[in-house]
Amino acid sequence: MTLDAESVPTSGTLVLSLQGEVAQIRRRQSARRAILQGRCANPQLGLLIEEKGEITSLRTPHKVAPLTAFVRNKVFRNAPTVMQEKAIDVALNTPDIALIQGPPGTGKTTVIAAILERLNEEASASGKSLSGRVLLTGFQHDAVENMIDRLSL
């Protein structure tokens, strides 16, 4: 809403409240401090986003199989390609962040669905929940919507 000379009241009180913006800035500052101090879901996130950060291994790596028969049959209409299996393997066995990139039609959405299904399998087997632990993002809103439609919740 814009104000022009005719819409401004001739009397009364005009109040400008910045409380919402101040609260938002404080939350952002608090989140940044938590990231830099390693008090977030990924303790090494600060090292990833800061210049010259050095990442160390915090956990003993354990190899996760890229595909199980269940996920293979559930997600893939045709047999996965070698590169799709490699992308799934890398994503599942990367300790922090994996990036899936490729031209249209190469099966990225299918690969992501397989990764999420495998993560669900692993979480179920260990009695843990993935809630709030997976970030899925894409350049286009349609890509994210397409992925959400393919998930079995």
Side-chain angles (χ1 to χ4, degrees):
M1 177 178 150
T2 59
L3 295 176
D4 54 26
E6 293 97 34
S7 64
V8 176
T10 56
S11 64
T13 305
L14 183 61
V15 177
L16 173 64
S17 174
L18 299 175
Q19 197 58 35
E21 285 79 5
V22 170
Q24 187 179 47
I25 290 167
R26 284 187 182 138
R27 284 193 302 268
R28 286 180 179 168
Q29 288 173 334
S30 175
R32 180 164 169 72
R33 273 192 305 276
I35 288 170
L36 293 176
Q37 293 170 359
R39 296 182 294 109
C40 58
N42 180 345
Q44 295 200 42
L45 184 58
L47 298 173
L48 289 170
I49 62 175
E50 291 298 319
E51 193 173 325
K52 298 181 182 176
E54 212 172 287
I55 299 170
T56 60
S57 181
L58 293 177
R59 60 184 172 171
T60 307
H62 94 283
K63 181 86 168 139
V64 176
L67 286 173
T68 60
F70 173 76
V71 172
R72 187 182 300 268
N73 292 329
K74 181 176 183 180
V75 174
F76 291 93
R77 287 186 211 132
N78 300 316
T81 66
V82 171
M83 291 309 290
Q84 285 175 319
E85 283 200 50
K86 182 176 180 181
I88 296 165
D89 184 41
V90 167
L92 290 173
N93 292 294
T94 296
D96 293 305
I97 295 173
L99 205 58
I100 306 292
Q101 180 181 356
T106 55
K108 293 178 299 295
T109 302
T110 304
V111 165
I112 294 167
I115 292 166
L116 292 173
E117 290 293 345
R118 283 294 292 126
L119 288 172
N120 279 328
E121 276 185 331
E122 290 292 314
S124 294
S126 66
K128 295 179 182 175
S129 171
L130 286 181
S131 181
R133 299 196 60 191
V134 175
L135 171 65
L136 176 63
T137 185
F139 183 71
Q140 295 175 321
H141 180 69
D142 291 345
V144 176
E145 288 293 324
N146 185 18
M147 191 63 250
I148 291 169
D149 290 343
R150 294 190 58 178
L151 294 177
S152 59
L153 302 173

